[in-house]
Amino acid sequence: MRCLLLVAVICAAFIAAAQADEANKYTSKYDNIDIDKILKNDRVLSQYIKCLMGEGSCTQEGRELKRLLPDAIQSNCSKCSEKQRQASVKVMRHLRQSRVRDWNRLLDKYDPQGDKRKNLKLD
């Protein structure tokens, strides 16, 4: 009986730890958005950038990104899933290579002191 109780306590601890770990991650609600499709569509990408810069309206996804972006930058994406990290690197590379002006504007807004830029692993 003690062994069964011990197993139950250990299982409960693992479940609580897993839930706590999930609570420290960003939502996966938007993980299936087609990033490539957005990056290939200048009009849609421009709208997201305007949203992030506070210069235009935001979709629900854009509002969520705008809300979470400062924390993601401050924490070096510590709450990001692997899929979210890969998507963010893809977006940052695209902006840095294809939309330099927008990339620099976003950096200036979300990292005005420039101290987080060295953490951006894009190579």
Side-chain angles (χ1 to χ4, degrees):
M1 186 64 145
R2 286 184 186 173
C3 185
L4 184 59
L5 182 59
L6 181 61
V7 169
V9 169
I10 291 172
C11 286
F14 277 123
I15 290 170
Q19 289 173 340
D21 188 46
E22 283 300 311
N24 291 328
K25 297 289 184 188
Y26 297 128
T27 181
S28 61
K29 185 176 180 178
Y30 302 111
D31 282 5
N32 293 318
I33 290 176
D34 189 345
I35 296 295
D36 292 318
K37 189 174 181 180
I38 293 171
L39 295 178
K40 290 176 184 174
N41 186 325
D42 280 336
R43 183 185 59 77
V44 173
L45 181 56
S46 291
Q47 192 59 43
Y48 273 101
I49 291 169
K50 285 179 183 178
C51 165
L52 292 173
M53 293 300 298
E55 299 169 349
S57 62
C58 297
T59 62
Q60 185 175 354
E61 297 89 354
R63 279 190 299 277
E64 185 76 4
L65 177 60
K66 187 176 180 180
R67 183 179 73 78
L68 296 176
L69 192 57
D71 181 66
I73 291 170
Q74 282 301 112
S75 70
N76 197 26
C77 216
S78 66
K79 297 176 189 174
C80 296
S81 68
E82 186 57 33
K83 187 171 187 175
Q84 291 165 343
R85 268 188 195 53
Q86 290 171 354
S88 64
V89 167
K90 182 181 276 192
V91 169
M92 288 186 293
R93 279 187 181 139
H94 177 82
L95 292 175
R96 189 177 78 172
Q97 293 169 356
S98 301
R99 304 212 28 182
V100 177
R101 181 176 173 271
D102 290 326
W103 171 246
N104 288 325
R105 289 177 63 225
L106 287 164
L107 285 175
D108 290 343
K109 179 173 177 96
Y110 288 96
D111 184 25
Q113 282 75 39
D115 57 341
K116 300 299 178 190
R117 296 174 197 208
K118 63 184 177 287
N119 295 333
L120 300 176
K121 307 220 182 322
L122 302 175
D123 299 322

